[in-house]
Amino acid sequence: MTLPLMPKATAVWLVENTTLTFKQIADFCGVHLLEIQAIADGDVASNIMGLDPVAGGQLTKEEIARCEKDENAVLQLTKRPDIPVKKKGKAYTSMAKRQDKKNAIAWLIIKYPELSDAQIIKLAGTTKVTITAIRENIKEMSPMDPRMLGLCTEAALQQALAAAVHHPEMPQAETKTEEKKEA
């Protein structure tokens, strides 16, 4: 059975605000029956502020009322809609990999010229300024596969390549270089 968030604080609130039996509260919160009795006596959790499970969406008033009428009824945790998982921010790159990151970017530029700067930024976790600098000094680089360095996954690279095939764009850094040559 899934337990409510902050079970002791929820138990404190249920003891203080409902007429549920200690057994019902203990079963719902996953706390021992003797601990619920100690909470009611004020021996335990006197410094814990109660957490309202109704306001938190863990219980409904109807569920509490149903279980208050029947001592043998078991409280059921309300099913909440799935909360979208927050995506991770930028991943930390170790010092050893930072040295190889430039070589990985050079590999992406040489091997897959159809990738846009934005796709390379996403794959290698870099900046547009870095990509431009690498394009200008690419002959001094030792290209290395970013998958082998652990900077991107095979799936991420294939996804970027599929997007590049559907929307071919000329990398903007090369366009600026060509404009300078024409001027």
Side-chain angles (χ1 to χ4, degrees), residues 16-38:
E16 293 174 354
N17 297 293
T18 67
T19 58
L20 295 168
T21 65
F22 292 161
K23 179 158 179 28
Q24 288 173 316
I25 296 172
D27 291 343
F28 178 71
C29 295
V31 178
H32 196 275
L33 180 62
L34 294 174
E35 194 168 359
I36 299 298
Q37 289 175 341

Side-chain angles (χ1 to χ4, degrees), residues 34-52:
L34 294 174
E35 194 168 359
I36 299 298
Q37 289 175 341
I39 289 172
D41 293 340
D43 297 336
V44 175
S46 60
N47 58 347
I48 294 179
M49 181 182 288
L51 176 68
D52 183 357

Side-chain angles (χ1 to χ4, degrees), residues 160-180:
L161 289 172
V165 170
H166 292 292
H167 301 290
E169 295 178 7
M170 185 173 210
Q172 295 176 359
E174 289 180 10
T175 307
K176 290 179 183 177
T177 309
E178 290 174 10
E179 290 174 3
K180 289 179 185 177

